[in-house]
Amino acid sequence: MDFLSFFLMDFVKQLQSPTLGFLIGGMIIAALGSQLQIPESICKIIVFMLLTKIGLTGGIGIRKSNLTEMVLPAAFAVMIGILVVFIARYTLAKLPKVKTVDAIATGGLFGAVSGSTMAAALTLLEEQGIKYEAWAGALYPFMDIPALVTAIVVANIYLNKKKLRAAAYSTMQESFDKQKDPAGNRVKIWPIIQESLQGPALSAMLLGVALGLFTKPESVYQSFYDPLFRGLLSILMLVMGMEAWSRIGELRKVAQWYVVYSVVAPLLHGFIAFGLGMIAHYTTGFSLGGVVILSVIASSSSDISGPPTLRAGIPSANPSAYIGASTAIGTPVAIGLAIPLFIGLAQTLGGG
Amino acid sequence: MDFLSFFLMDFVKQLQSPTLGFLIGGMIIAALGSQLQIPESICKIIVFMLLTKIGLTGGIGIRKSNLTEMVLPAAFAVMIGILVVFIARYTLAKLPKVKTVDAIATGGLFGAVSGSTMAAALTLLEEQGIKYEAWAGALYPFMDIPALVTAIVVANIYLNKKKLRAAAYSTMQESFDKQKDPAGNRVKIWPIIQESLQGPALSAMLLGVALGLFTKPESVYQSFYDPLFRGLLSILMLVMGMEAWSRIGELRKVAQWYVVYSVVAPLLHGFIAFGLGMIAHYTTGFSLGGVVILSVIASSSSDISGPPTLRAGIPSANPSAYIGASTAIGTPVAIGLAIPLFIGLAQTLGGG
Amino acid sequence: MDFLSFFLMDFVKQLQSPTLGFLIGGMIIAALGSQLQIPESICKIIVFMLLTKIGLTGGIGIRKSNLTEMVLPAAFAVMIGILVVFIARYTLAKLPKVKTVDAIATGGLFGAVSGSTMAAALTLLEEQGIKYEAWAGALYPFMDIPALVTAIVVANIYLNKKKLRAAAYSTMQESFDKQKDPAGNRVKIWPIIQESLQGPALSAMLLGVALGLFTKPESVYQSFYDPLFRGLLSILMLVMGMEAWSRIGELRKVAQWYVVYSVVAPLLHGFIAFGLGMIAHYTTGFSLGGVVILSVIASSSSDISGPPTLRAGIPSANPSAYIGASTAIGTPVAIGLAIPLFIGLAQTLGGG
């Protein structure tokens, strides 16, 4: 069977999976004006349980695995997280009518990772019977934090330079004031890292990793977090589908270039990650399932931990630009196109 | 064993089932002044999960079944939904001191379906080992929507006639104003149907039906929605028991005829449905379990989707009349009397 | 193997159990400033499900057991509940700078029982394979209510005596007013008992006991309440860990004697209960697992049902004294020291 027909069959099959079925179902009922609401507190506990489960899986996996295996993929994850921001800085930000800070913030959100998208990929990999390292989910923070930190740092550097240039044309007095308090304009990296780690998403996942590493949580993992995972994800997918639909309007207010970026960027980032992952595959035996996960977390854009971090770190950026781009277009592209694409690629390479 | 002793033994046995046990338990702890509260957000997600599960069961069932089988029971469901409103219009509404719009709204709520009551019946049927068509739960919207729509249409027709009669005694000017905007008084049926379908209850159930029909949700169905169903229902039954007790007071404010109606109507509607169901049983082989389900959804009165729809559609009707009648008396009669009665009848007919 | 090394090995093993792992994890992430929050509505439903499950276990156990067995341990539970308040009244209350009402309220909270601590002990007993009577969890209210009632009564008696003494030095007029309304100063015991029984915690547990006794809830017990128990407890332990950390500050405001009391009292109460439990063990065959449970509920201090009851019953007591002492120190000591200590003691005695 040739690649295209295999890919198409697989794509249709994945559209019928509960994960994508509930996402599309959510978009459809939102489009039809459904009054269904999943309470905010339920979404929070579902996200907690999903990320704790992913963390526990990672922690138990790391405890039982060869740690040296993880070094190269983790280093690649950090590299991708930083690179994605610079790609947005030198492509999206250069397009007409696009504000530079908005573009940098969007890059940060597309570099950051969606726990739900990753969860969808893990579930689909298991449904397809594709093996992956148990610690692969623990690559999440290695890409997420560098991306958000880089975005905030790059945005602040840009804003500082702009200010200095403006000051050069301005009165001496203002320029003098600026020099009096240079520390106020210096970008502080550690508080940004700390804020990311203290957010609900990364807290839950890193707690899971730590509990998996240092305690024996197997009994609650097997009786609770693991069996409930797919069902809880189906509810979250429904919510994300409804949200994606409701935010499509936000995008109309900003430059149409965001649409182009939001469709192209997840696939581009995914291919970069796939290439780096394949290097790890041939040099250190990183599994093909792991390569898919690295590609999917590169494709995904954050819809849980990212927006509040960026809103606090780059207050001058327009949230409807980056949230609209990420949730309304980036996430459906990552889940609906990137996941089946990279799973299909891995299956083709694995079978060949 | 004669019918009565069989029915009584069965009734006592069903009082000990978790479903009725938690309902009665809820009424007792409410009567004893318990401060126990199940948060609103928890009730919402439980209702969502119960109705999604019922929908999934229906959708998977329809996908695997002969669609032509369903035509006759579905047609009977629509007939019963409409008939129930007209019964209330020409019995309850004619009683002394009963306001006509209140009676029509009450008829609408008794014609509409309670997802929880139906869920209780499905659970009891499974406990008793009585077979029923997997799509029988999907009869729900075929009775629910026509009942609510008919109630709102009949109420608006009544109010319009009353207004016209009042206008005949009134000044020419007012009568003239009325004729200038006749569309404002015309009853719009489609928005009412649309509103019912967009409500949280029918949204969740129809979403489940669609996902069951067009995707392959078996993995989340078997790992999540199905195993958690009984336990979640036990919590909802407790909540309904507590609510039923707390709303008994509401009924004291309105005519005592509501009490008579609320006791008689569920049984009468159930018997009409049982009769029609038996016609389907002998002509098209509709199962006895299916006949019970048709009877129970006829007996049941809505406590989730109905009240907000009626409040919006017939704003002049007194909510404490119809909600009090339904939740405080109608639902306990449907669950405590109608369900065991029709299960007992089905077992007697099935065994004979 | 000697006792100490056995105890230490067991202690380390229990620190790795999910129960204690999540508690310590909660304290650590709170200390690191995590923004993770488990919504209040989720905590409520978890507490409801945990206590209903404990009640169901007790009720089903009592239904299947010899009721006469339970008389002696239940009588000891009542005795301990009352005794604990008098210990606080004549030790903590006599220490310098400690306000008497605060000390009595603290005694009440340490005499009351923590459903979560008991749940942790039941889980650890099962993990260790130590047998206990199924009704042992139903000893909970026999200690909880007498402790809270005794605290409120003793506090009101103290406040009344103080008032009368103050009145003797005061004007005739005030003394005269007092005599006009003597009933207002009399301590009413029954409303206090009623309030405790109507609280969410005891309502849920006693409902579970009643449903276990009078209905057949085995199907929902086995499909829902029992399998979800450990996982839900892990979430609650995380919350309690975070709360314990956040309330450490509250204790700095009050006398340091609370720290001494909060460390010593759980162990002292536990040893009294262990001694009484061993009497029941040798006279009526009360299991060693049951002795551990009696000791743990004596060691535990209430963090769910107790505080609101005491706040209503002894409004002049400072909540940050008794809640801080109980949650920040008493509960970690009960879970981290008392549970492994009494399990170790029982294993040593059982194996010897």
Side-chain angles (χ1 to χ4, degrees):
Chain A
M1 207 187 316
D2 65 308
F3 174 73
L4 190 71
S5 65
F6 182 89
F7 172 76
L8 283 176
M9 272 181 61
D10 190 68
F11 183 72
V12 169
K13 205 169 130 195
Q14 279 171 36
L15 284 178
Q16 286 198 313
S17 80
T19 309
L20 296 184
F22 274 81
L23 183 83
I24 296 166
M27 294 179 81
I28 291 171
I29 65 168
L32 296 173
S34 167
Q35 300 301 312
L36 181 69
Q37 280 187 320
I38 305 296
E40 182 53 30
S41 58
I42 301 300
C43 293
K44 275 190 186 170
I45 193 72
I46 289 176
V47 167
F48 166 78
M49 284 178 66
L50 294 178
L51 294 184
T52 302
K53 188 265 179 183
I54 293 170
L56 286 172
T57 311
I60 296 171
I62 295 172
R63 171 155 49 90
K64 293 180 180 169
S65 76
N66 187 355
L67 275 177
T68 54
E69 281 176 10
M70 207 175 154
V71 172
L72 195 62
F76 284 152
V78 174
M79 281 170 56
I80 296 161
I82 296 169
L83 186 63
V84 162
V85 178
F86 282 98
I87 291 172
R89 177 73 185 87
Y90 292 106
T91 61
L92 181 61
K94 300 292 184 197
L95 291 169
K97 289 185 188 170
V98 174
K99 279 177 64 190
T100 304
V101 279
D102 289 0
I104 296 168
T106 306
L109 213 58
F110 275 75
V113 178
S114 157
S116 319
T117 303
M118 182 171 81
L122 298 181
T123 306
L124 287 168
L125 283 173
E126 272 159 41
E127 281 173 19
Q128 305 283 335
I130 302 174
K131 294 265 187 305
Y132 59 88
E133 289 80 1
W135 48 259
L139 292 173
Y140 179 124
F142 291 98
M143 194 182 296
D144 200 61
I145 300 167
L148 292 170
V149 169
T150 307
I152 296 170
V153 171
V154 169
N156 283 321
I157 290 168
Y158 165 79
L159 288 168
N160 269 10
K161 281 186 187 165
K162 200 177 151 188
K163 222 177 181 174
L164 286 170
R165 234 175 292 137
Y169 296 105
S170 177
T171 67
M172 287 300 287
Q173 182 58 34
E174 278 177 62
S175 180
F176 180 72
D177 283 353
K178 249 200 100 319
Q179 284 161 7
K180 277 206 306 196
D181 186 19
N185 296 306
R186 214 183 289 155
V187 175
K188 283 170 194 144
I189 295 179
W190 284 110
I192 294 163
I193 294 176
Q194 197 184 338
E195 203 176 312
S196 305
L197 291 167
Q198 289 173 343
L202 286 179
S203 282
M205 224 203 70
L206 295 176
L207 173 73
V209 171
L211 289 171
L213 265 176
F214 301 118
T215 73
K216 301 244 168 78
E218 276 84 349
S219 63
V220 288
Y221 181 81
Q222 282 155 17
S223 70
F224 190 69
Y225 292 98
D226 192 40
L228 294 178
F229 188 73
R230 285 187 183 196
L232 293 172
L233 183 65
S234 75
I235 299 176
L236 194 65
M237 283 292 129
L238 187 74
V239 173
M240 289 172 72
M242 291 191 289
E243 281 176 1
W245 185 261
S246 72
R247 280 176 179 163
I248 277 178
E250 285 181 11
L251 215 61
R252 287 186 199 148
K253 299 170 200 157
V254 295
Q256 303 212 341
W257 295 114
Y258 283 100
V259 179
V260 177
Y261 175 81
S262 306
V263 171
V264 174
L267 300 172
L268 174 66
H269 304 156
F271 274 113
I272 293 169
F274 199 89
L276 291 172
M278 288 311 289
I279 293 173
H281 176 64
Y282 288 118
T283 55
T284 66
F286 188 41
S287 73
L288 283 171
V291 175
V292 172
I293 292 166
L294 189 68
S295 309
V296 169
I297 64 179
S299 296
S300 81
S301 49
S302 173
D303 18 51
I304 294 162
S305 62
T309 310
L310 287 176
R311 203 170 282 155
I314 318 176
S316 57
N318 174 12
S320 70
Y322 58 82
I323 296 177
S326 163
T327 308
I329 307 184
T331 295
V333 168
I335 296 178
L337 283 183
I339 293 179
L341 174 70
F342 295 116
I343 288 179
L345 267 177
Q347 282 175 326
T348 312
L349 290 168
Chain B
M1 204 188 315
D2 65 309
F3 173 74
L4 191 70
S5 64
F6 182 89
F7 172 76
L8 284 174
M9 272 181 62
D10 189 67
F11 183 73
V12 169
K13 205 169 129 196
Q14 279 173 33
L15 284 178
Q16 286 198 312
S17 80
T19 309
L20 297 183
F22 274 81
L23 183 84
I24 297 166
M27 294 178 81
I28 291 171
I29 65 168
L32 296 173
S34 166
Q35 301 301 310
L36 180 69
Q37 279 186 320
I38 305 296
E40 183 53 29
S41 58
I42 301 299
C43 293
K44 274 190 187 169
I45 193 71
I46 289 176
V47 167
F48 166 78
M49 285 178 66
L50 294 178
L51 294 185
T52 302
K53 189 264 179 184
I54 293 170
L56 286 172
T57 310
I60 295 171
I62 295 172
R63 172 156 47 92
K64 294 180 179 169
S65 77
N66 187 354
L67 274 177
T68 54
E69 281 176 9
M70 207 177 155
V71 171
L72 196 61
F76 284 153
V78 174
M79 281 170 56
I80 297 162
I82 295 169
L83 186 63
V84 162
V85 177
F86 283 97
I87 292 173
R89 177 71 186 87
Y90 292 106
T91 60
L92 181 60
K94 300 292 185 196
L95 292 169
K97 291 184 186 170
V98 173
K99 280 175 64 189
T100 304
V101 279
D102 291 359
I104 296 169
T106 306
L109 213 57
F110 275 75
V113 177
S114 157
S116 318
T117 303
M118 183 172 81
L122 298 180
T123 306
L124 287 168
L125 283 174
E126 271 160 41
E127 281 173 18
Q128 306 282 336
I130 301 173
K131 294 264 186 308
Y132 59 89
E133 288 80 2
W135 48 259
L139 292 172
Y140 179 124
F142 291 98
M143 195 182 298
D144 199 60
I145 300 166
L148 292 170
V149 169
T150 307
I152 296 171
V153 171
V154 169
N156 282 322
I157 291 169
Y158 166 79
L159 289 167
N160 270 9
K161 281 188 188 167
K162 202 177 150 187
K163 223 177 181 177
L164 286 170
R165 233 175 293 136
Y169 296 107
S170 177
T171 67
M172 286 300 286
Q173 181 59 35
E174 279 176 60
S175 181
F176 179 72
D177 283 353
K178 250 198 100 322
Q179 284 159 5
K180 277 205 308 197
D181 185 19
N185 297 305
R186 215 183 290 154
V187 174
K188 284 171 193 141
I189 295 179
W190 284 109
I192 295 161
I193 295 176
Q194 197 185 339
E195 204 176 310
S196 306
L197 291 167
Q198 289 173 342
L202 287 179
S203 282
M205 224 201 71
L206 296 177
L207 173 73
V209 171
L211 289 171
L213 266 175
F214 302 118
T215 73
K216 302 245 168 76
E218 276 84 350
S219 63
V220 287
Y221 181 82
Q222 282 156 17
S223 70
F224 191 68
Y225 293 98
D226 192 40
L228 295 178
F229 188 73
R230 286 187 182 197
L232 294 172
L233 183 63
S234 75
I235 298 176
L236 193 66
M237 283 292 130
L238 187 74
V239 172
M240 289 173 72
M242 292 191 288
E243 280 175 3
W245 185 263
S246 73
R247 279 175 181 164
I248 277 178
E250 285 181 12
L251 215 60
R252 288 186 199 146
K253 298 170 199 158
V254 295
Q256 304 212 339
W257 295 114
Y258 283 102
V259 180
V260 177
Y261 175 81
S262 307
V263 171
V264 174
L267 300 172
L268 175 66
H269 304 156
F271 274 114
I272 293 168
F274 199 90
L276 291 172
M278 288 310 289
I279 292 172
H281 177 64
Y282 288 118
T283 56
T284 66
F286 189 41
S287 73
L288 283 171
V291 176
V292 171
I293 292 166
L294 189 68
S295 311
V296 169
I297 63 178
S299 296
S300 81
S301 49
S302 173
D303 18 52
I304 293 161
S305 61
T309 309
L310 288 175
R311 202 170 284 155
I314 318 178
S316 56
N318 174 12
S320 71
Y322 59 81
I323 296 177
S326 164
T327 309
I329 307 183
T331 295
V333 167
I335 296 178
L337 284 181
I339 292 178
L341 174 69
F342 295 115
I343 287 179
L345 267 176
Q347 282 175 327
T348 312
L349 290 168
Chain C
M1 206 189 314
D2 66 309
F3 174 74
L4 190 68
S5 65
F6 182 88
F7 173 76
L8 284 176
M9 272 181 61
D10 189 67
F11 183 73
V12 169
K13 205 169 128 196
Q14 279 171 35
L15 283 179
Q16 286 199 311
S17 80
T19 310
L20 297 184
F22 275 81
L23 183 83
I24 296 166
M27 294 178 81
I28 291 170
I29 64 168
L32 295 173
S34 166
Q35 301 300 312
L36 180 69
Q37 279 187 322
I38 305 296
E40 182 54 27
S41 58
I42 301 299
C43 293
K44 275 191 187 169
I45 194 72
I46 289 176
V47 167
F48 166 78
M49 285 179 65
L50 295 177
L51 294 185
T52 302
K53 189 265 178 181
I54 293 170
L56 286 172
T57 311
I60 295 171
I62 295 172
R63 171 155 50 91
K64 293 181 179 169
S65 77
N66 186 354
L67 274 177
T68 54
E69 280 176 10
M70 207 177 155
V71 172
L72 196 61
F76 285 152
V78 174
M79 282 171 55
I80 297 161
I82 296 169
L83 187 62
V84 162
V85 178
F86 283 97
I87 291 173
R89 176 73 186 86
Y90 293 106
T91 60
L92 180 60
K94 300 293 184 195
L95 291 169
K97 290 184 186 170
V98 174
K99 280 176 64 189
T100 304
V101 279
D102 290 0
I104 296 168
T106 306
L109 213 57
F110 276 74
V113 177
S114 158
S116 317
T117 304
M118 183 171 82
L122 298 180
T123 305
L124 287 168
L125 284 173
E126 272 160 42
E127 281 174 17
Q128 305 282 335
I130 302 173
K131 294 265 188 307
Y132 60 88
E133 289 80 3
W135 47 259
L139 292 172
Y140 178 125
F142 291 98
M143 194 182 297
D144 198 61
I145 301 166
L148 292 170
V149 170
T150 306
I152 296 171
V153 171
V154 168
N156 281 323
I157 290 169
Y158 165 80
L159 288 168
N160 269 10
K161 280 188 187 166
K162 201 178 151 188
K163 221 176 183 178
L164 285 170
R165 233 175 295 135
Y169 296 105
S170 176
T171 67
M172 288 298 287
Q173 183 57 36
E174 278 177 61
S175 180
F176 180 73
D177 283 352
K178 249 197 100 321
Q179 284 159 5
K180 278 206 305 197
D181 184 19
N185 296 306
R186 215 183 289 154
V187 175
K188 283 171 193 143
I189 295 178
W190 285 110
I192 294 162
I193 294 176
Q194 198 185 337
E195 204 175 310
S196 306
L197 291 167
Q198 289 174 342
L202 286 179
S203 282
M205 225 201 71
L206 295 176
L207 173 74
V209 170
L211 289 171
L213 265 175
F214 302 117
T215 74
K216 304 244 168 76
E218 276 85 350
S219 63
V220 287
Y221 181 81
Q222 282 156 15
S223 70
F224 191 69
Y225 293 99
D226 192 40
L228 294 179
F229 189 73
R230 285 187 182 196
L232 293 172
L233 183 63
S234 75
I235 299 176
L236 194 65
M237 283 292 131
L238 187 74
V239 173
M240 289 172 73
M242 292 190 288
E243 281 176 0
W245 185 262
S246 72
R247 280 176 179 162
I248 276 177
E250 286 182 10
L251 215 61
R252 286 185 200 147
K253 299 171 197 157
V254 295
Q256 304 213 339
W257 294 114
Y258 282 101
V259 179
V260 178
Y261 174 82
S262 306
V263 172
V264 175
L267 300 173
L268 175 66
H269 303 155
F271 274 115
I272 294 169
F274 199 90
L276 290 172
M278 289 309 290
I279 293 172
H281 177 64
Y282 288 118
T283 56
T284 65
F286 188 42
S287 72
L288 283 171
V291 175
V292 171
I293 292 166
L294 190 68
S295 309
V296 169
I297 64 179
S299 296
S300 81
S301 49
S302 172
D303 18 49
I304 295 162
S305 61
T309 311
L310 288 175
R311 202 170 283 155
I314 318 177
S316 57
N318 175 12
S320 70
Y322 58 83
I323 295 178
S326 163
T327 307
I329 307 184
T331 294
V333 168
I335 296 179
L337 284 182
I339 292 179
L341 175 69
F342 294 117
I343 287 180
L345 267 176
Q347 282 175 326
T348 311
L349 290 168

